[in-house]
C-alpha cells in the first residue's frame, strides 16, 4: 500500500527476546535520522512500555501513541500532532459510510457488500473501551491507510519547517538603574532565555543546534543549505576612529544598535562579534562583551573560554609547530631508506601510502600509488621536505600576553641531538588558523585552506605546506567543531553570533564569514546584521573590505563609525591617555577646541577612508557621562560637515536599546540608500604597489620603505605565485601612522615595512610595520589583580 503512493518503507525486525533497551536504542536512531518521517510501532503489548512510547519523537509518531500526541488529542488540539490511527479510521469511515453498529448482530449473516462499519472491543492487554476497526466491507484496512496518511502529513509539516520561519522573539525587559552598576552586576541581574528557546524564536530547527549548557550553543552549517533560497538581509559594519588605549566602545555600540533595532523598532537583527582573547581579558583592556546596558550575557561565559574555539586553534597551531621540528630532526638523523620505511610502514608485510601521502606524490608530479615502484631519487624527493631553518615562518602560540616568549630557543635537550634553533610565540588569535576560521565558508573550504598553509621554504626555494607535513587532515579534525558559530543573546534577548577572534592590528580583525552569512539568512530580507571590525577604520574596516569582502562576496550597505569625545580630544591635541592612570582634566572638563581639532583631523580622515570604498557612513557618538551637551552637539555638526550621512549621540550604555533608537533609524535610512561599493586596489598589482596604495590612501603616508629582508621576502612570494593575494597590514592601532604617539591625521611620514609574511591558507600577504609585535605583553598592573572566584557561590568577581 505504501508503494502505491510513493512511500519508502523499511521494516526493522528485532528478535523475540529483545529488551526494552534495544528497542529504545533503535527508536533513538530513527529519531535522529533525517530521512525518516514516520515510525509505526508493531510490537507486542508487553513491549509497548511507557519508556518505549515516550522515546519515540512525537513528530514521527504516525500511530499517535506518544504521550504528547495523546495529550493534544485530549485537549482537542491535534493540529500539531497525530491522532491515533484507530480513532481517525473510525471517524473517516463514519463520515463516508452509512450505518454504524457497535457489534455484528448475533447469528446473522454479514453482507460483505454493504456500507456497514463493524467495531469489536479490544481484548488482551489493551485498555477496555478502545475499539479496533475490523473494516468496512470491500475496503482495505483503514488503520494502515490512516498511518500512511500521517506519514504524508508529517512530511508536509517537515517541509514547511525547512522554509524560512518568521521570528517570534520574546524580548527581555530592561530596568536601567542610575547610577549604572558594574557590567557584571548588570549581566547577573538579567536572566537569559534558554538558548533552545532563543533558537526556536529566530527560526532555527532543533537539529541545527548543539547546546553548550543553558546559555550558548553551536549552530550547524546545514542551516545555510536549508535557507539557500532565502534573500539576505542588510549588512552593517561597525568601525571606529583611532582609539585611545582604553577602547571607545565599538562592541557596546554594536550591541546597543541591535537591541534598538529588534526591541524598539521591531526589526529582525543579529549582532556578529569576535570571541575575546584571554590576553586582553587578563591584561589591559578587559572583556569584550560590551558594557553597561548593552551587553552579551552571561558576560562571564562570553569572556572566558566560551565553547573552546581558541583552545582548538592553539592545539592545531602547535601541532603544526611540533610536526615541523620533529620532521627536521628526523630528516637530519636518518637515511632516505630509514625515513621511507618509517613514513610508509609495512603492515602485515604490505606497504601502503596514506591518502595525504598520495597528495604529496601528486604535487611532486608522481602518478604511482605503489611504494615499491619509486626510484631512489623519487624516494628522496618524497621523504625530504628539506626545510630551511632560516626561512621557517611558523611559530607556536599561546592565548596569554607573555612578552618573554617573543624570542626563544627550542631543542636544547640532549634528546634533540644539538638541533636547536631560535623561534618565538605569537598570541593565539594571531595564528593563521584563526584567520582561516574567520574566512572559511564551510568545512571543505577550511580543510583546503589548512592544507595550503605555508610553514616555510625548502633549501631549493619551494614552499612547504601543512599538507606536505601530512598534518592537514588532523588539523581539520581539531577544528571541526570550532567552525560552527556560537549563539548567545543580548541583555534584551536579541540574538548574537560569537565566532572567531583575530586582532585587527596583527591580523584581519573581523568575525567570521560564516557567522555573517548565517545571520543574513536568519534575519530575512528586511532584517539587519551588525558585524564589528576591530580598532580604527584604517585597520579593521579596510581589512573587512579588502580581505573579508573579497573572500566572501559580502557587501555592507552602511558603515557605523564609532567616536567618543574622549578620543577626539586626544586627537585634537590632548595629553596622552594611559590605561590604569587617572584621566587628565582635559578629558573631564568641557573643551570645545580639542574636540574641534579631533573632528577636523582623525574623524574626517576615517570618514574619507570609508568613502574610498563607496559606502555611506553614520557616525555614532558613544556618549560618556563626562560629555557636555555642547561637546555632543559640536561632534554631530562637524561629523556632517566631514561627510557623514548622519551623526547621532548614543546612550545605550546607560539606557540599553532605548538609548540607540535614533542611531537605529539613521542606520535603517542609510542602508536603504544606493551603495557604490568598490575595492581600493586590484589584486593583480605587484605586492609592493598594493602595500604602497594602503599606506598612501588609507594611512596618509608619503611612501613606504622596505627593509632588505622585506624586499627579499616579497620577491620570494612573487616567485612562488602569491602575487595576487590581498594585503593584511600588521600596524599599531593607536595611530594612523606606524608611530603610536602621533595622533590626529599625521602626514609627511614614510611607512617602514620590517618584514613580510605570507598567510597562504588564509589568503593574504602579511607585512609587519615598524616594531609591531605579534605577542603583547602584560602591564605593571594587569586586570587579573581584580579577578577572583567565590568558592561557595562559584561567582566570578572583577571581570569588566
Amino acid at each position: 500500500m505504501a508503494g502505491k503512493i510513493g512511500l519508502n518503507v523499511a521494516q526493522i525486525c528485532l528478535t523475540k527476546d529483545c529488551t526494552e533497551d534495544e528497542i529504545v536504542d533503535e527508536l533513538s536512531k530513527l529519531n535522529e535520522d533525517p530521512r525518516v518521517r514516520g515510525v509505526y510501532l508493531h510490537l507486542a503489548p508487553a513491549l509497548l512500555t511507557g519508556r518505549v512510547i515516550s522515546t519515540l519523537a512525537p513528530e514521527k509518531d504516525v500511530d499517535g501513541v506518544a504521550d504528547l500526541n495523546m495529550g493534544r488529542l485530549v485537549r482537542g488540539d491535534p493540529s500539531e500532532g497525530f491522532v491515533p490511527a484507530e480513532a481517525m479510521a473510525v471517524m473517516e469511515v463514519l463520515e463516508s459510510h452509512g450505518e454504524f453498529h457497535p457489534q455484528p448482530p448475533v447469528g446473522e449473516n454479514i453482507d460483505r457488500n454493504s456500507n456497514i462499519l463493524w467495531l469489536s472491543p479490544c481484548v488482551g492487554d489493551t485498555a477496555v473501551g478502545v475499539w479496533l476497526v475490523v473494516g468496512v466491507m470491500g475496503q482495505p484496512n483503514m488503520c494502515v491507510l490512516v498511518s500512511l496518511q500521517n506519514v504524508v502529513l508529517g512530511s508536509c509539516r517537515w517541509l514547511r519547517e525547512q522554509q524560512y520561519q518568521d521570528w517570534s522573539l520574546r524580548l527581555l525587559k530592561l530596568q536601567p538603574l542610575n547610577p549604572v552598576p558594574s557590567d557584571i552586576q548588570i549581566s547577573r541581574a538579567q536572566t537569559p532565555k534558554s538558548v533552545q528557546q532563543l533558537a526556536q524564536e529566530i527560526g532555527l530547527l532543533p537539529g541545527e543546534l548543539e547546546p553548550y549548557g543553558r546559555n550558548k550553543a553551536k549552530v550547524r552549517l546545514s542551516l545555510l543549505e536549508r535557507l539557500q533560497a532565502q534573500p539576505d538581509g542588510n549588512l552593517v559594519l561597525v568601525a571606529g576612529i583611532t582609539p585611545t588605549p582604553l577602547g571607545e566602545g565599538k562592541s557596546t555600540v554594536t550591541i546597543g544598535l541591535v537591541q534598538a533595532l529588534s526591541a524598539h523598532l521591531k526589526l529582525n537583527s543579529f549582532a556578529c562579534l569576535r570571541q575575546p582573547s584571554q590576553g586582553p581579558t587578563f591584561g589591559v583592556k578587559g572583556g569584550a562583551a560590551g558594557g553597561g546596558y548593552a551587553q552579551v550575557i552571561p558576560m562571564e561565559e562570553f569572556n572566558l573560554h566560551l565553547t573552546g574555539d581558541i583552545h582548538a586553534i592553539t592545539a592545531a597551531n602547535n601541532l603544526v609547530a611540533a610536526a615541523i621540528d620533529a620532521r627536521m630532526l628526523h630528516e637530519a638523523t636518518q637515511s632516505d631508506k630509514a625515513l621511507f620505511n618509517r613514513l610508509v610502514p609495512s603492515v602485515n608485510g604490505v606497504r601502503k601510502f596514506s591518502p595525504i601521502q598520495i597528495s604529496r606524490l601528486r604535487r611532486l608530479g608522481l602518478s604511482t600509488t605503489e611504494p615499491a615502484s619509486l626510484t631512489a631519487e623519487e624516494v628522496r624527493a618524497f621523504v625530504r621536505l628539506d626545510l630551511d631553518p632560516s626561512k621557517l615562518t611558523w611559530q607556536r602560540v599561546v592565548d596569554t600576553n607573555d612578552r618573554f616568549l617573543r624570542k626563544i630557543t627550542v631543542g636544547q635537550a640532549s634528546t634533540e641531538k644539538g638541533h636547536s634553533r631560535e623561534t618565538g610565540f605569537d598570541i593565539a588569535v594571531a595564528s593563521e588558523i584563526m584567520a582561516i576560521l574567520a574566512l572559511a565558508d564551510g568545512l571543505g573550504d577550511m580543510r583546503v585552506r589548512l592544507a595550503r598553509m605555508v610553514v616555510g621554504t625548502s633549501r631549493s626555494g619551494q614552499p612547504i605546506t601543512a599538507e606536505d607535513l601530512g598534518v592537514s587532515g588532523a588539523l581539520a579534525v581539531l577544528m571541526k567543531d570550532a567552525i560552527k558559530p556560537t549563539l548567545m543573546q543580548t541583555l534584551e534577548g536579541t540574538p548574537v553570533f560569537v565566532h572567531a577572534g583575530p586582532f585587527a592590528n596583527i591580523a584581519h580583525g573581523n568575525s567570521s564569514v560564516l557567522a555573517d552569512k548565517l545571520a543574513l539568512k536568519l534575519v530575512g530580507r528586511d532584517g539587519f546584521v551588525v558585524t564589528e571590525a576591530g580598532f580604527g577604520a584604517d585597520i579593521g574596516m579596510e581589512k573587512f573590505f579588502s580581505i573579508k569582502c573579497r573572500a566572501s562576496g559580502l557587501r555592507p550597505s552602511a558603515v557605523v563609525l564609532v567616536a567618543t569625545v574622549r578620543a577626539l580630544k586626544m586627537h585634537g591635541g590632548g595629553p596622552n591617555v594611559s590605561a590604569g592612570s587617572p584621566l587628565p582634566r582635559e578629558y573631564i572638563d568641557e573643551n570645545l577646541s580639542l574636540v574641534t581639532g579631533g573632528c577636523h583631523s582623525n574623524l574626517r580622515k576615517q570618514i574619507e577612508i570609508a568613502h574610498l570604498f563607496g559606502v555611506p557612513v553614520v557616525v555614532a557618538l558613544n556618549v560618556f557621562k563626562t560629555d557636555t551637551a555642547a561637546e555632543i552637539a559640536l561632534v554631530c555638526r562637524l561629523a556632517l560637515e566631514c561627510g557623514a550621512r548622519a551623526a547621532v549621540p548614543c546612550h545605550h550604555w546607560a539606557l540599553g536599546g532605548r538609548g540607540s533608537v535614533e542611531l537605529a533609524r539613521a542606520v535603517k535610512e542609510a542602508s536603504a540608500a544606493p551603495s557604490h561599493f568598490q575595492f581600493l586596489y586590484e589584486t593583480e598589482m605587484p605586492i609592493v604597489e598594493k602595500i604602497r596604495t594602503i599606506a598612501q590612501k588609507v594611512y596618509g603616508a608619503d611612501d613606504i620603505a622596505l627593509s632588505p629582508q622585506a624586499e627579499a621576502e616579497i620577491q620570494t612570494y612573487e616567485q612562488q605565485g602569491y602575487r595576487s593575494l590581498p594585503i593584511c597590514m600588521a600596524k599599531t592601532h593607536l595611530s594612523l601612522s606606524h608611530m603610536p604617539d602621533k595622533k590626529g591625521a599625521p602626514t609627511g611620514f614614510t611607512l617602514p615595512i620590517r618584514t613580510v609574511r605570507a598567510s597562504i591558507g588564509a589568503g593574504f600577504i602579511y607585512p609587519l610595520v615598524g616594531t609591531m609585535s605579534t605577542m603583547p605583553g602584560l602591564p605593571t598592573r594587569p586586570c587579573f589583580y581584580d579577578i577572583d572566584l567565590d568558592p561557595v557561590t562559584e561567582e566570578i568577581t572583577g571581570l569588566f
Side-chain angles (χ1 to χ4, degrees):
M1 292 171 67
K4 289 180 180 179
I5 61 174
L7 292 178
N8 295 319
V9 176
Q11 187 176 13
I12 298 175
C13 299
L14 303 178
T15 61
K16 290 182 179 180
D17 58 350
C18 67
T19 65
E20 184 184 62
D21 287 341
E22 290 173 325
I23 299 173
V24 167
D25 288 344
E26 288 291 341
L27 287 177
S28 298
K29 294 175 187 176
L30 295 172
N31 288 342
E32 296 296 323
D33 191 337
R35 300 168 300 172
V36 176
R37 299 266 54 87
V39 178
Y40 179 83
L41 298 178
H42 191 257
L43 298 170
L47 295 176
L48 283 172
T49 63
R51 181 181 172 214
V52 167
I53 292 174
S54 63
T55 298
L56 179 57
E59 66 273 14
K60 297 186 179 184
D61 169 35
V62 295
D63 203 29
V65 298
D67 292 345
L68 182 58
N69 285 325
M70 282 291 189
R72 285 167 171 161
L73 180 62
V74 171
R75 194 179 62 191
D77 181 24
S79 59
E80 294 300 319
F82 296 109
V83 176
E86 290 86 350
M88 182 57 78
V90 170
M91 300 307 298
E92 289 278 348
V93 176
L94 286 176
E95 289 181 4
S96 58
H97 295 279
E99 302 177 51
F100 164 67
H101 296 282
Q103 296 184 45
V106 178
E108 292 188 14
N109 293 325
I110 298 175
D111 181 358
R112 304 227 170 236
N113 295 316
S114 66
N115 291 330
I116 298 176
L117 171 66
W118 302 108
L119 303 180
S120 63
C122 294
V123 295
D125 296 333
T126 310
V128 176
V130 179
W131 295 80
L132 292 176
V133 178
V134 173
V136 177
M137 305 316 166
Q139 301 293 325
N141 190 306
M142 288 298 297
C143 290
V144 175
L145 286 177
V146 170
S147 294
L148 296 177
Q149 185 181 36
N150 282 346
V151 174
V152 175
L153 176 60
S155 299
C156 293
R157 288 173 179 166
W158 178 83
L159 285 170
R160 285 196 300 270
E161 288 174 354
Q162 303 309 301
Q163 307 305 309
Y164 178 79
Q165 303 294 316
D166 291 331
W167 285 21
S168 56
L169 198 62
R170 182 180 71 83
L171 299 167
L172 301 179
K173 189 175 182 180
L174 273 188
Q175 295 180 322
L177 301 177
N178 190 11
V180 176
S182 70
D183 292 349
I184 200 164
Q185 288 175 319
I186 294 172
S187 176
R188 286 194 183 136
Q190 186 70 288
T191 302
K193 298 174 285 189
S194 73
V195 72
Q196 288 94 338
Q197 179 186 340
L198 174 64
Q200 182 181 23
E201 291 173 356
I202 62 175
L204 285 166
L205 303 180
E208 292 167 341
L209 207 66
E210 296 178 2
Y212 280 61
R214 182 185 183 277
N215 301 312
K216 55 187 181 291
K218 289 284 192 182
V219 174
R220 292 177 179 167
L221 305 186
S222 58
L223 172 67
L224 281 176
E225 183 178 355
R226 177 170 71 87
L227 297 182
Q228 59 182 330
Q230 169 67 19
D232 289 345
N234 300 281
L235 182 62
V236 176
L237 176 67
V238 176
I241 65 171
T242 304
T244 69
L246 307 178
E248 308 315 308
K250 287 192 310 302
S251 299
T252 310
V253 170
T254 300
I255 300 304
L257 175 54
V258 294
Q259 289 181 177
L261 286 165
S262 289
H264 300 275
L265 297 191
K266 307 305 178 184
L267 296 168
N268 293 350
S269 70
F270 231 111
C272 291
L273 299 178
R274 291 170 294 160
Q275 179 184 350
S277 164
Q278 181 179 295
T281 298
F282 291 103
V284 175
K285 190 171 177 285
Y293 287 100
Q295 289 189 57
V296 180
I297 58 172
M299 65 96 76
E300 306 101 303
E301 295 185 26
F302 178 91
N303 285 314
L304 300 173
H305 305 295
L306 199 64
T307 48
D309 293 356
I310 293 180
H311 301 315
I313 289 165
T314 301
N317 185 100
N318 293 343
L319 179 61
V320 177
I324 291 169
D325 285 316
R327 186 60 176 264
M328 291 173 65
L329 171 66
H330 295 316
E331 288 188 21
T333 57
Q334 297 180 48
S335 66
D336 294 349
K337 182 178 180 180
L339 276 171
F340 186 79
N341 289 341
R342 287 182 171 89
L343 288 171
V344 192
S346 176
V347 179
N348 297 325
V350 178
R351 295 189 190 277
K352 185 178 179 180
F353 291 121
S354 68
I356 204 166
Q357 290 175 326
I358 292 175
S359 296
R360 172 155 173 77
L361 290 170
R362 297 295 176 267
R363 287 194 300 281
L364 292 172
L366 302 175
S367 59
T368 183
T369 58
E370 293 297 327
S373 67
L374 295 184
T375 67
E377 287 185 1
E378 290 170 343
V379 166
R380 182 174 180 80
F382 171 75
V383 300
R384 296 204 176 273
L385 301 180
D386 200 25
L387 279 160
D388 185 342
S390 67
K391 293 184 178 179
L392 290 174
T393 56
W394 197 265
Q395 301 206 116
R396 289 168 171 82
V397 299
V398 64
D399 195 33
T400 304
N401 292 357
D402 192 344
R403 65 178 70 245
F404 282 89
L405 293 178
R406 289 171 179 168
K407 191 172 184 178
I408 63 170
T409 302
V410 296
Q412 296 191 76
S414 59
T415 50
E416 275 53 73
K417 304 175 183 178
H419 293 280
S420 62
R421 67 181 182 92
E422 283 191 349
T423 181
F425 273 75
D426 297 329
I427 193 165
V429 291
S431 169
E432 182 176 357
I433 297 176
M434 173 62 87
I436 287 173
L437 176 68
L439 292 169
D441 66 4
L443 193 57
D445 182 45
M446 182 179 71
R447 171 65 176 81
V448 170
R449 288 173 179 268
L450 290 170
R452 70 179 186 225
M453 293 187 304
V454 173
V455 302
T457 302
S458 71
R459 288 183 172 86
S460 62
Q462 296 301 309
I464 303 300
T465 66
E467 189 88 343
D468 291 318
L469 281 169
V471 74
S472 51
L475 301 181
V477 170
L478 286 170
M479 295 294 294
K480 71 179 181 67
D481 292 319
I483 197 171
K484 304 164 192 171
T486 299
L487 177 66
M488 296 188 75
Q489 63 193 284
T490 69
L491 278 166
E492 297 192 54
T494 66
V496 178
F497 273 141
V498 188
H499 200 212
F503 283 176
N505 53 351
I506 55 179
H508 76 282
N510 291 275
S511 64
S512 76
V513 166
L514 282 169
D516 288 356
K517 286 188 172 182
L518 289 169
L520 285 166
K521 293 297 183 186
L522 286 169
V523 296
R525 186 194 304 272
D526 299 322
F528 289 84
V529 173
V530 183
T531 190
E532 178 201 6
F535 295 127
D538 57 306
I539 300 181
M541 185 189 73
E542 183 272 317
K543 294 172 183 176
F544 178 91
F545 292 141
S546 298
I547 297 172
K548 187 174 179 179
C549 288
R550 271 196 172 96
S552 65
L554 295 172
R555 300 291 184 269
S557 51
V559 167
V560 174
L561 191 68
V562 178
T564 62
V565 168
R566 177 179 68 193
L568 290 170
K569 286 180 176 179
M570 179 187 71
H571 291 299
N576 287 336
V577 175
S578 300
S581 300
L583 281 173
R585 294 301 308 176
E586 289 87 344
Y587 296 100
I588 299 171
D589 299 334
E590 183 176 286
N591 193 316
L592 300 180
S593 175
L594 290 179
V595 172
T596 300
C599 289
H600 284 157
S601 57
N602 196 268
L603 179 61
R604 181 187 297 276
K605 178 61 176 175
Q606 301 286 17
I607 292 173
E608 289 173 354
I609 294 169
H611 287 164
L612 288 173
F613 297 92
V615 183
V617 177
V618 174
V619 170
L621 180 63
N622 189 16
V623 176
F624 293 178
K625 59 185 178 182
T626 54
D627 301 344
T628 68
E631 289 172 334
I632 294 169
L634 178 62
V635 172
C636 293
R637 177 174 64 81
L638 293 180
L640 295 176
E641 293 178 6
C642 292
R645 181 181 180 89
V648 295
C650 304
H651 302 272
H652 44 267
W653 182 80
L655 301 174
R658 182 161 55 90
S660 284
V661 170
E662 189 179 351
L663 173 63
R665 291 196 177 105
V667 166
K668 181 183 177 183
E669 181 182 341
S671 297
S675 180
H676 306 286
F677 180 82
Q678 62 185 7
F679 290 114
L680 181 65
Y681 54 79
E682 297 296 327
T683 54
E684 294 306 317
M685 292 168 58
I687 292 174
V688 171
E689 290 307 311
K690 286 183 283 193
I691 297 173
R692 181 174 285 114
T693 298
I694 296 172
Q696 293 177 335
K697 292 188 176 182
V698 177
Y699 306 153
D702 287 345
D703 204 352
I704 62 174
L706 299 172
S707 70
Q709 179 182 348
E711 287 183 340
E713 289 163 338
I714 290 173
Q715 184 178 6
T716 297
Y717 298 142
E718 292 198 333
Q719 289 172 349
Q720 292 174 342
Y722 303 135
R723 171 174 171 166
S724 62
L725 294 179
I727 304 300
C728 180
M729 304 286 275
K731 182 187 77 70
T732 179
H733 60 287
L734 297 174
S735 173
L736 280 161
S737 72
H738 61 288
M739 301 167 282
D741 58 331
K742 299 295 183 183
K743 306 302 181 182
T747 57
F749 64 94
T750 298
L751 194 74
I753 308 299
R754 183 178 89 249
T755 184
V756 179
R757 300 179 186 176
S759 294
I760 305 305
F764 52 72
I765 300 295
Y766 179 21
L768 274 73
V769 177
T771 59
M772 191 66 207
S773 172
T774 52
M775 170 56 83
L778 288 172
T780 304
R781 193 185 189 283
C783 296
F784 61 64
Y785 274 85
D786 302 311
I787 298 173
D788 208 340
L789 179 72
D790 186 320
V792 177
T793 64
E794 297 187 10
E795 286 191 345
I796 297 167
T797 59
L799 276 179
F800 65 94

